Structures are given as C-alpha cells and as structure tokens.
Amino acid sequence: MQDILSSFEHYHKWLREHEEPVAETAGFLTDRIRQIEPDIHAFIRLDKERIVCRGRSLDERSQGGALWAVPVAIKDNICIKGELTTCASHILDGFRPPYNATVIEKLLAENALLFPGANMDEFAFGSSCETSFYGPTRNPWDLSRIPGGSSGGSAASVASGEVAAALGSDTGGSIRQPAAMCGVVGFKPTYGRVSRYGLIAFASSLDQIGPITRNISDCARMLEVISGYDANDSTSVDSPVPKYTESLGKQIKGMTIGLPEEYMGEGIDEDVRRSVTESVDVLKRLGAKIIDISLPHTKYAVSCYYIIAPAEASSNLARFDGVHYGYRSPKSDDLIDMYVNSRSEGFGKEAKRRILLGTYSLSSGYYDAYYLKAQKVRTKLSQDFDRAFSECDCIVTPTAPNTAFKIGERMDDPLMMYLSDVFTIPANLAGLPAVSVPCGQDRNGMPVGLQLMARPFDEEALIKVAHAFESETAYHKMFSGGCG
Amino acid sequence: MDKKVSKKRITEQTVRYVAALSRIELDEAETASYKDQLSDIIGYIEQLGEVDTDNTLPTTHVLPSMKNVFREDELKESLSPDEFLGNAPEKHGNFFKVPRIIQSS
C-alpha cells in the first residue's frame, strides 16, 4: 500500500487503472490502518462505516477535484460537522462541532476522502505527542520513540503510509517538527494565508493550519487547495493565492540562501549538523548562492514563545467550563464548583501547566515584566528576519536540534521538552512561511529535517527550493515501513 | 540546546493563587510539582531581561495591515436551538442547565 500512496499522482493512476470504487478503496485503506494502529496509534478513533460512506458519496459524483479520493488525516483540533473533535482532551469528550472548518469545506470541495481523529498533544500543547488523553503516538521508524508533536498523529499517519496526506496545526513548530522526526514534508504557511476558522484555538496570534505529505508536489497541491481569504476569520489576508504547483521544477540558480550562524552552534546533534551541512552543499551545487547571516535574537525565541503562547492559551481555554460543551464533572453542588471540578478533572497535566504559566504572566504586577517584554522581543526577532531577507531569498536551518527521542525521556522535564522547538518557533513569532523536508538520517536511522523559511506570503520560494532539493536527493523516498 | 536556568523561585502560595484564578484545583503533590517546574521555566524566561527593548514597540499583531473587521448588519440564519444545544452536558428546554446559583427563600 505504501507504493500507491507514495504520491497523489501515483495513487490517482492506480485508481484509474483498477477502476476500483472509492468506497471499496476507503474500506481497504481503513482495514490496513486498523492492522498497524495497535503499533502506531496515529488515530484517536477510526470509524470505518463513516469513511466508507464518504467514499460512496464520492463514487456518486463525477471523478474530479484536485484531491479526488485522496485519503487525508485530520488533526483532532480541526472541526468537522457532526464528527467527534476532542483536541485529544478529556474536557472535550463527546464534542461534535455543528459546522465545518473552512479548510474542511475546501478539502470536501476538491473531493478529498477525510480520515478524522489524528492523534495529537492535548490542545496541541507539546513537542512529542505524548500528552494526548488517549495515549501517545509512536514513531513509525522506531516504535520506542516519539513521532514529534503536536501533530504527531498526522505526521505518523503519513510516514507509515496509512494515508497520503494530513492536516496539522503549527503554533511553535507542531507541523514541521513531527514532519522532520517522521521523515515527511510539513508546511507552515504564512500567518493569515490559511483560514483558522474552525481550528480550536491554542494561541491565536501564532496558530496556522498546514499540510503534511510525502513529497513537495503533493504539499503544493494541498496548499493550493487550503489557502485563501475567508471572511469568517478576521485574521485571514485578502491576497491572491498563486498556483503553487507552477513553482515545481523551477531552477534555483541565482537565488540567495542565508545560513544563520545561531542555528548551527552548540547543542545540535552531530548527525543533524552533518545532514544539514551536506544539504547546504546540495543547494550550492544547484546554483544557489549561500551566504552567512545572523539572527541574533534566536536564543530568546523559546522564552518569548513561552510567555506569549501560554498567555493566549490560558485565555482561549477559559471557555472550557462544562457549560456549553464537553465534559462536566458530576460532583458539583454550585456553579463555581462545577467550573473548578470540570476543569480540574478535564484538563491534563501539560494543559494545566500552560494555563498556570499563562495566567501567571498575565496577572497583575507581572504583565509588563513578562507579556509586554515578550511582545517587544518578538518585534526584535521580526526585525532580525527583515534584515536577513534584505540579503537573501530564503533561510536554511535544521528543523530541530535533535532527532526523535525515546518515549518518556523528557516528560518530567518540561523545559527540556520546550527546547525541542527552538528552531521552529521564530517563524511563528514572525508569522513567516516555513517548511521541513527530509534531509538525512542519524546513526540510529532516524530521519533528519531541513527547514526553509521565506518572506511573508512567499510560499513559492519555499516550494521552488524544496522541490529542487528533493529532485536532487532521495531522502523523501525513504519509507518507515510502518505499513508493511 | 543549553538549558541555563536562573533561580527565580515561584512559591506554593503563588501556584495556589494562580490556580484559583484559573479555576483549577491542585492537590499538594501537584502544587509542589508545578512550583518546581514553573520556577524552572520562569527562571529560564528571565533571560528576556538581557534584551534592550527601551526603544522597541511591542508586536501587537504580526500582520502590519491588521485592522478591525466589520460586517454589514444583515440578518442571517443562525444555528437552530437543536444545533447549539447539541453539545450541552445538560439542558432544559432551549436553555443550558447549570447548578442553581440563586438560593430559594
């Protein structure tokens, strides 16, 4: 099955040649997923009947649409009308949204076959996909390791060949970091490029929905479908969406690519450093001009993020009180007790940690020292990028300082866990588009990711460079074998 | 990455205060554990103090052209009571039901 899902093109060819009804294919795919799910646990739930029913409705329509019958896993924080959507949290038990997220409407309009319920860190809080109320996802390359987070279920489902593509959300690297650790492509679009309507909010000024795929061509196709202005999202940007697929196959000769010294310093795994250095040589061979640049405020990105993101999260999560939806504690005599008991029993450890951290930094006496300061440092970080992009077209870095670590290794050390996202967080703080592509393997055979960042709304530059790199290397063809 | 942590101490009293503001109840073991973890995290975050931001404006929004969004004041169809009450843990008629908040005399 991994062969037919290796690219959308290949899969469509297979469907045409076999004249297999989509409903049959949907059932077949679901059965295969069920076989390997006990190992991987990329999905919180899998409802074969509903998926086959969707396949049947596609059979009743004409064979059209950019994503016709393409199996796409949906992270469990993206609303699908009538489907359970839990954010991998006990507090959203039983929640069925009464509407579709805009990205879901767009996938349905292009006749994608949706596989809801991809596992994730609770409310997207995490870098390892271990904080899900429903249990961790495992890395298809090595089941004793994490898949990366928080879109770990989405990345693992693509890496194991369960589905051809997935939607994730990226607040501090939650698409790119698991993509890197699972050896697949993960794209975070510019803030405002893809509607967040129907994405259950974590940190509203940082969140973006984006695709996870096996290669850049499929990624460009997904991006073309989900991008665009949406009146339902007040932070959506009304700017024309280029044909991203037209950036495929373009030469990168003459492009200038910046290599920031701060991303290659101490603390990086030697195998990651070697893979990235070799990848930079590939870009050089392809005719790109590599220049050294500096992003001096990078070292403050994690601190800045862990003020701003929990502050926004603590505010967004105030709505979970057991009144309108989700879990309500049965042990409450009065209203305040009901709020407290529902939240105390409904949220997991990491969610509580971030709520406490956010409430602390926003509380009286600390707002200026922490929140306001972090927003000023955020400006400094953005200014670093403005200066860098006056010299180069895009920036190349490792996606993460290390490859996938062992399950449980960092669970008792939240700060160490937070540092997993040190290289991905800056793009969220500055709102930039960024992509992770596979670029090597470490001594244990675990995938390494290469990150590319570009100016706001210049997704085309990333697709151009990433596709040129992919065409010159074979890392995207490495397969975890998770689906046998 | 290096984890250089200064020793900013968060007390158990602060953790309990912040938890109360957050409408979260913690037992003693949780309070002690969060005290240590938040101390570590806030200690690390203190490094932001090194950055000179005297003449720097805060980022109020990452999109520079961001402005308030208005829509026409038009009547539109809204969710039906069945739809908006469909997820309610408890309901009574067309209302969300919560524990009593007013005492009867």
Side-chain angles (χ1 to χ4, degrees), chain A residues 94-96 191 234-235 237 266-267 297 299-300 303 306-307 322-326 328 333-336 338 340 343-344 349 352-353 355-357 359-360 370 373 375-380 413-415 418-419 422 429-431, chain B residues 1-3 5 8 10 14-15 18-19 21-26 30 34 37-38 40-42 44-53 56-59 61-63 66 69 79 83 87-90 96-101:
Chain A
F95 176 63
R96 292 182 191 271
Y191 185 82
S234 62
T235 57
V237 174
E266 57 177 301
H297 294 91
K299 67 182 273 203
Y300 302 108
S303 297
Y306 277 98
I307 291 295
V323 176
H324 300 97
Y325 35 67
R328 175 185 290 190
D333 295 329
D334 63 33
L335 192 66
I336 299 294
M338 191 199 76
V340 171
R343 288 167 65 81
S344 305
K349 270 187 194 169
K352 285 179 190 167
R353 189 181 294 128
I355 291 170
L356 296 176
L357 187 56
T359 307
Y360 176 78
Y370 292 114
K373 180 77 183 182
Q375 292 287 39
K376 287 182 175 183
V377 176
R378 185 178 186 176
T379 305
K380 291 273 194 187
D413 191 348
L415 184 52
Y418 295 171
L419 289 168
V422 61
L429 289 168
Chain B
M1 290 280 95
D2 269 358
K3 197 179 81 167
V5 178
K8 168 85 183 179
I10 305 285
T14 304
V15 173
V18 172
L21 289 177
S22 311
R23 301 277 193 245
I24 286 173
E25 191 172 55
L26 303 174
E30 285 176 313
Y34 283 128
Q37 290 172 354
L38 293 181
D40 264 11
I41 297 164
I42 293 289
Y44 180 82
I45 284 169
E46 293 276 306
Q47 63 165 304
L48 289 180
E50 295 168 12
V51 187
D52 177 7
T53 53
T56 308
L57 291 172
T59 297
H61 206 284
V62 74
L63 297 171
M66 197 62 201
V69 178
L79 294 176
E83 284 172 311
N87 284 296
E90 271 193 84
F96 294 98
K97 190 177 173 187
V98 294
R100 181 184 291 277
I101 52 173

Side-chain angles (χ1 to χ4, degrees), chain A residues 83-144:
Chain A
E83 291 278 350
L84 285 169
T85 305
T86 69
C87 281
S89 180
H90 184 35
I91 209 160
L92 264 175
D93 258 1
F95 176 63
R96 292 182 191 271
Y99 66 99
N100 278 328
T102 299
V103 287
I104 296 299
E105 291 287 351
K106 284 173 178 267
L107 292 185
L108 292 175
E110 295 298 331
N111 290 332
L113 183 62
L114 305 188
F115 284 69
N119 205 0
M120 56 183 282
D121 279 303
E122 183 183 6
F123 280 104
F125 299 154
S127 308
S128 66
C129 212
E130 292 171 283
T131 67
S132 166
F133 176 70
Y134 302 96
T137 297
R138 285 173 284 276
N139 194 311
W141 292 83
D142 176 348
L143 299 178
S144 68

Side-chain angles (χ1 to χ4, degrees), chain A residues 169-401:
Chain A
S169 66
D170 191 314
T171 306
S174 284
I175 287 174
R176 291 159 285 156
Q177 190 252 42
M181 294 189 173
C182 288
V184 291
V185 172
F187 203 114
K188 181 202 96 74
T190 309
Y191 185 82
R193 176 56 98 189
V194 174
S195 171
R196 293 183 300 110
Y197 179 71
L199 170 69
I200 297 175
F202 161 5
S204 310
S205 81
L206 303 161
D207 299 336
Q208 266 297 273
I209 296 172
I212 296 177
T213 55
R214 293 272 289 278
N215 57 63
I216 282 290
S217 308
D218 293 349
C219 179
R221 280 175 179 80
M222 286 281 283
L223 206 54
E224 229 165 67
V225 169
I226 63 172
S227 296
Y229 175 68
D230 178 18
N232 285 329
D233 173 3
S234 62
T235 57
S236 170
V237 174
D238 194 0
S239 151
V241 179
K243 287 280 282 180
Y244 294 124
T245 44
E246 287 176 4
S247 298
L248 300 168
K250 296 265 174 73
Q251 285 208 2
I252 61 165
K253 199 171 178 179
M255 283 183 81
T256 306
I257 297 176
L259 183 63
E261 55 178 299
E262 292 80 7
Y263 285 67
M264 294 294 269
E266 57 177 301
I268 300 176
D269 182 278
E270 271 315 306
D271 292 338
V272 172
R273 189 196 306 275
R274 176 184 42 78
S275 297
V276 171
T277 306
E278 286 170 9
S279 303
V280 170
D281 287 341
V282 171
L283 295 172
K284 214 182 283 180
R285 274 207 308 279
L286 287 165
K289 184 182 169 195
I290 308 293
I291 60 165
D292 291 325
I293 57 165
S294 176
L295 298 166
H297 294 91
T298 300
K299 67 182 273 203
Y300 302 108
V302 171
S303 297
C304 194
Y305 178 84
Y306 277 98
I307 291 295
I308 295 167
E312 293 184 15
S314 67
S315 169
N316 278 324
L317 267 54
R319 74 189 64 166
F320 298 102
D321 55 10
V323 176
H324 300 97
Y325 35 67
Y327 173 75
R328 175 185 290 190
S329 170
K331 300 189 292 201
S332 312
D333 295 329
D334 63 33
L335 192 66
I336 299 294
D337 257 9
M338 191 199 76
Y339 293 154
V340 171
N341 292 339
S342 300
R343 288 167 65 81
S344 305
E345 293 162 24
F347 287 127
K349 270 187 194 169
E350 182 61 31
K352 285 179 190 167
R353 189 181 294 128
R354 298 210 189 192
I355 291 170
L356 296 176
L357 187 56
T359 307
Y360 176 78
S361 62
L362 289 177
S363 61
S364 173
Y366 294 111
Y367 178 87
D368 283 3
Y370 292 114
Y371 188 76
L372 191 63
K373 180 77 183 182
Q375 292 287 39
K376 287 182 175 183
V377 176
R378 185 178 186 176
T379 305
K380 291 273 194 187
L381 270 149
S382 292
Q383 288 169 345
D384 281 357
F385 282 111
D386 290 344
R387 270 191 298 273
F389 286 125
S390 68
E391 294 179 70
C392 60
D393 301 303
C394 68
I395 294 172
V396 60
T397 76
T399 306

Side-chain angles (χ1 to χ4, degrees), chain B residues 62-97:
Chain B
V62 74
L63 297 171
S65 58
M66 197 62 201
K67 55 182 190 297
N68 204 2
V69 178
F70 296 98
R71 65 168 176 81
E72 294 303 313
D73 187 16
E74 290 169 343
L75 279 178
K76 281 185 176 176
E77 231 175 273
S78 57
L79 294 176
S80 68
D82 276 352
E83 284 172 311
F84 73 73
L85 286 164
N87 284 296
E90 271 193 84
K91 59 188 169 185
H92 179 74
N94 279 354
F95 299 97
F96 294 98
K97 190 177 173 187

